[in-house]
Amino acid sequence: MSLHPTLQPYADAWTHSIEAISELVQPLVEADWNRRTPCPGWSVRDIVSHVIGLDCEMLGDPRPIHTLPRDLFHVTNDHQRYTEMQVDVRRHHTSPEMTSELEYTVIRRNRQLRNESRDPGTKVRGPLGTELTLEESMRSHAFNVWVHEQDLRAALGRPGNLDSPGAQVARDVLLAALPELVAEKADAPRSSAIVFDVHGPVEFLRTIRVDIQGRGTLETAPALGPAATFTLDWETYVRLACGRVTPEAVKDRVKAEGEPGLTGAILRNFTVTQ
């Protein structure tokens, strides 16, 4: 294996999630492909199309030349239009066409990973012409594919893999977003601490400390007298952070202690990705 050790966890997480997705969709009948998922406007087929598209991007394939219909009301900005292209181009594909393309794409990606010898800092193409490092790209990809595995499980009533390698990557990606979320988006008070106590298949206790300049940092040390404390299970944390549910929809699963204005602002700004 020529893959850099830094990249191996992301390759392992992707492999675990993509194999789970293949296993989930292989036996589906045609009607199952049209089931709604937690992603607005997307069916099971659309999620799988998106995952195939993500891997085609990682392979460096040319993007499809396709004109989107005007009636896709869940598509409202350039990033969503960019993402929707790989989805809409497959909207009329049959179940065998979907599973065979997924299988072929996975074979190609496995070959690419076996031969991957680039340094983690190598610059690669990102969405909408952006540039990011190979490590950032593979981390983001492992995170996205695991989240979409969870979307499919929710749609098909097949829960699982909340503690898989992809879940560990997701934890780190979501925690990295907390300082900006708390300190900037939610405008938490300066010289304060906000505690997140998450239990379940993935457990952690983290503190966001906001300094006198209003900058947030992530710490593992518990805080005495925090301005707010959130206690919730891992699955709810993921669903909130990925914009799959509103705070109101899961208020019975989130224990928020502290000044209501602050806790409300944090929960309103909790979505990291959609």
Side-chain angles (χ1 to χ4, degrees):
M1 176 68 78
S2 56
L3 195 64
H4 193 282
T6 306
L7 304 177
Q8 192 64 55
Y10 306 130
D12 292 343
W14 170 82
T15 300
H16 193 279
S17 294
I18 206 74
E19 286 177 354
I21 288 173
S22 295
E23 190 178 309
L24 283 168
V25 303
Q26 197 69 43
L28 297 184
V29 297
E30 202 63 50
D32 289 331
W33 288 88
N34 297 321
R35 286 198 195 192
R36 292 178 62 181
T37 71
C39 292
W42 277 8
S43 64
V44 166
R45 177 184 284 98
D46 296 337
I47 293 269
V48 178
S49 296
H50 176 54
V51 168
I52 292 170
L54 287 173
D55 273 305
C56 288
E57 301 266 333
M58 297 295 284
L59 284 159
D61 290 356
R63 284 179 54 77
I65 298 171
H66 179 70
T67 303
L68 290 177
R70 294 178 180 272
D71 60 349
L72 298 175
F73 299 115
H74 60 283
V75 178
T76 59
N77 57 48
D78 286 344
H79 188 271
Q80 289 172 342
R81 275 185 282 277
Y82 179 94
T83 302
E84 195 74 19
M85 204 73 79
Q86 295 276 14
V87 173
D88 193 67
V89 79
R90 295 175 175 84
R91 266 207 170 103
H92 301 293
H93 286 198
T94 63
S95 172
E97 286 174 326
M98 293 299 298
T99 52
S100 61
E101 187 182 10
L102 177 63
E103 186 179 340
Y104 179 55
T105 306
V106 171
I107 290 169
R108 293 174 62 215
R109 276 282 288 142
N110 276 321
R111 186 185 303 127
Q112 181 190 40
L113 288 170
R114 279 197 303 273
N115 297 324
E116 182 59 82
S117 58
R118 290 176 293 178
D119 184 83
T122 305
K123 295 291 185 181
V124 297
R125 186 185 74 185
L128 285 170
T130 56
E131 199 176 65
L132 63 169
T133 67
L134 179 60
E135 182 176 359
E136 290 168 338
S137 176
M138 286 187 64
R139 182 195 300 121
S140 174
H141 188 57
F143 168 69
N144 285 328
V145 174
W146 179 79
V147 170
H148 289 310
E149 177 200 337
Q150 293 303 314
D151 289 331
L152 290 172
R153 289 185 177 281
L156 298 169
R158 296 276 305 279
N161 283 352
L162 282 166
D163 58 351
S164 67
Q168 308 302 320
V169 172
R171 175 201 59 198
D172 295 343
V173 168
L174 295 176
L175 282 175
L178 271 183
E180 180 186 357
L181 183 158
V182 169
E184 296 178 31
K185 293 182 179 176
D187 197 23
R190 299 184 178 200
S191 303
S192 68
I194 315 295
V195 173
F196 294 87
D197 185 359
V198 175
H199 56 272
V202 173
E203 294 189 338
F204 55 85
L205 180 69
R206 294 291 187 275
T207 301
I208 301 298
R209 292 194 183 275
V210 183
D211 65 18
I212 195 68
Q213 278 83 37
R215 293 186 298 258
T217 54
L218 179 68
E219 298 182 5
T220 55
L224 296 174
T229 301
F230 295 88
T231 306
L232 65 163
D233 65 276
W234 168 237
E235 185 178 8
T236 302
Y237 186 97
V238 169
R239 292 170 71 201
L240 275 171
C242 296
R244 280 10 182 206
V245 290
T246 63
E248 292 74 27
V250 291
K251 61 183 179 183
D252 58 324
R253 302 185 66 169
V254 179
K255 183 182 178 185
E257 298 175 276
E259 198 273 311
L262 174 59
T263 58
I266 292 172
L267 288 173
R268 281 194 305 276
N269 290 280
F270 208 73
T271 301
V272 173
T273 181
Q274 286 182 296

